[in-house]
Amino acid sequence: MKFESLREQVSNKSQIHSVQMLRGIACLAVYFVHFFSEQKLLSASKLLVKASEYGYLGVQVFFVISGFIIPLSMYRNKYDIQNFGNLFKRRLVRIELPYVASIALLVLLKLITHFVYEASQRLDIDWSTVLLNIGYLNVFWGKEFINHAYWTLFVELQFYLYIGLFLGLITNKNFWIRHVAYLLLFGLNYWWVGSLFFHSHILIFMVGIFAFQYVIKVIELPELLISSAFVLILNYYWLSQILHLDTAIPITLATIFAISFIFFIKKQISVLDFLGKISFSLYLIHVPVTVALLPILEPYIHRPSLILVYRIGVLISTIGIAYIYYRIIEKPAMSLSRKV
């Protein structure tokens, strides 16, 4: 049975390639919404532009992945609440070091772009905002993220800390004990709503958590299906009826796609596997690198079809730079985090 094959991978401590490939897909989707959804490209490829407008769903896919893989990683490493301090330190090294390095890269590229293309204009860098982005302090000072991809890292950090505190509850085989942890979060939505706070996305994370509970045999297939259907319906109602958003259906379908991909895709596709491996680096740097590369030739290109070709070339170049970033920044941070 295909559901059982994922359990076997987890019990054998095998790498789950479906998760890694899904990361690659999600990261590409986010990239496309940032740089291929512009109206001026419509005449070159209507299908690509229309499809890229849904690239924001890559973020929802990342939330499903995190709901599954973060508690699974802790469970595999026999995490205990007494290790919470070490868990937080490892997170700082593994995630926050590459994040801070990407802020430095963003500032460097902005300076280079300014002096090459905009030397006659005033340098547009708010240094206080840059510094507050370190540690996500900008959220509490009412400052913006200098890279609009960063907000999801703040959400993911909150979820990481939540799992560190409540892993014992969500892995408990007692139905009522597990659901206490869920209800505490659901209740927060009535008083504290905001896209920068992870409980506003908890119903998406929950689908991943249910998959995690299934593969470690805390729940069985009927509860997995019923619980996932329930939170999807609840999330649809929350988005469409309470928040009055028109994204309810796409988000629901993206969530179903993500969890289905994790369970049912077994064939390893090398390109997607590679993109998944460097997905965090690509996610961190794709905006500043692409913004720096586009002005090199695009202002001199007037045909939409050639602009599209150029942007694809920039995408490939950005992937190459992300690989270098992965090798010199992210991979050493991964190794260092294991020693903390």
Side-chain angles (χ1 to χ4, degrees):
M1 188 174 180
K2 287 189 175 181
F3 276 94
E4 294 297 324
S5 67
L6 189 60
R7 272 186 170 176
E8 291 171 7
Q9 290 180 65
V10 170
S11 63
N12 295 332
K13 295 190 175 180
S14 306
Q15 183 177 9
I16 305 173
H17 288 286
S18 61
V19 171
Q20 183 143 298
M21 291 189 294
L22 189 59
R23 283 195 183 108
I25 293 171
C27 196
L28 273 186
V30 173
Y31 186 100
F32 269 68
V33 75
H34 287 158
F35 298 106
F36 286 90
S37 58
E38 295 184 33
Q39 293 299 305
K40 66 181 178 182
L41 298 176
L42 265 177
S43 60
S45 176
K46 290 183 180 178
L47 179 62
L48 179 62
V49 171
K50 290 297 182 185
S52 64
E53 289 173 358
Y54 291 95
Y56 69 91
L57 296 171
V59 170
Q60 316 303 321
V61 172
F62 275 126
F63 290 163
V64 175
I65 293 171
S66 294
F68 174 69
I69 209 68
I70 288 176
L72 178 60
S73 176
M74 292 182 190
Y75 181 82
R76 280 176 160 178
N77 290 301
K78 304 187 186 315
Y79 168 78
D80 184 86
I81 187 65
Q82 295 178 348
N83 305 124
F84 183 80
N86 286 335
L87 173 79
F88 185 64
K89 285 189 284 187
R90 284 196 295 271
R91 164 79 190 204
L92 287 177
V93 175
R94 167 69 182 90
I95 302 297
E96 305 310 322
L97 277 184
Y99 165 63
V100 172
S102 74
I103 293 175
L105 177 64
L106 183 152
V107 172
L108 176 62
L109 290 174
K110 199 170 183 68
L111 288 170
I112 292 172
T113 302
H114 171 76
F115 288 114
V116 172
Y117 300 107
E118 306 164 352
S120 61
Q121 302 177 25
R122 181 176 175 272
L123 179 62
D124 182 25
I125 295 182
D126 182 345
W127 293 105
S128 64
T129 299
V130 170
L131 291 174
L132 287 170
N133 266 250
I134 300 172
Y136 314 105
L137 297 175
N138 58 297
V139 174
F140 306 102
W141 262 263
K143 299 280 189 177
E144 63 183 9
F145 282 102
I146 56 175
N147 177 346
H148 44 276
Y150 287 162
W151 74 270
T152 61
L153 302 182
F154 181 56
V155 172
E156 295 268 4
L157 173 62
Q158 295 167 67
F159 178 71
Y160 193 82
L161 296 178
Y162 164 75
I163 294 298
L165 292 171
F166 289 92
L167 184 68
L169 290 182
I170 67 172
T171 55
N172 196 298
K173 291 196 174 184
N174 184 296
F175 177 90
W176 298 109
I177 291 176
R178 291 198 312 272
H179 282 70
V180 165
Y182 311 155
L183 290 172
L184 288 173
L185 284 171
F186 296 158
L188 288 174
N189 280 325
Y190 290 97
W191 294 285
W192 197 16
V193 177
S195 62
L196 294 181
F197 299 100
F198 94 97
H199 57 264
S200 294
H201 310 276
I202 189 59
L203 294 171
I204 303 299
F205 283 106
M206 285 303 307
V207 175
I209 289 176
F210 294 143
F212 156 69
Q213 291 172 331
Y214 173 77
V215 298
I216 67 166
K217 302 182 180 179
V218 167
I219 66 175
E220 294 301 328
L221 186 58
E223 186 173 343
L224 167 67
L225 297 176
I226 293 170
S227 298
S228 298
F230 175 75
V231 297
L232 284 171
I233 293 169
L234 187 60
N235 194 56
Y236 175 82
Y237 177 80
W238 173 258
L239 293 173
S240 61
Q241 302 301 314
I242 306 299
L243 300 183
H244 304 291
L245 300 177
D246 58 3
T247 56
I249 291 177
I251 287 175
T252 301
L253 293 176
T255 306
I256 293 171
F257 164 78
I259 204 62
S260 300
F261 194 98
I262 290 172
F263 270 100
F264 298 128
I265 301 300
K266 293 191 291 183
K267 183 181 169 125
Q268 186 179 354
I269 303 170
S270 57
V271 173
L272 291 180
D273 203 57
F274 168 75
L275 289 173
K277 182 171 74 171
I278 67 165
S279 60
F280 182 51
S281 292
L282 180 59
Y283 189 81
L284 285 175
I285 71 162
H286 75 276
V287 171
V289 169
T290 303
V291 167
L293 292 177
L294 286 180
I296 294 175
L297 290 179
E298 187 165 301
Y300 310 102
I301 304 173
H302 304 292
R303 290 178 57 185
S305 58
L306 293 179
I307 293 175
L308 180 60
V309 170
Y310 181 65
R311 291 204 174 192
I312 291 172
V314 168
L315 167 60
I316 294 170
S317 300
T318 304
I319 290 172
I321 295 169
Y323 176 69
I324 296 171
Y325 191 89
Y326 167 79
R327 291 298 300 268
I328 66 174
I329 302 292
E330 184 185 353
K331 195 172 180 181
M334 291 169 62
S335 300
L336 184 58
S337 69
R338 296 188 190 104
K339 300 175 184 176
V340 173

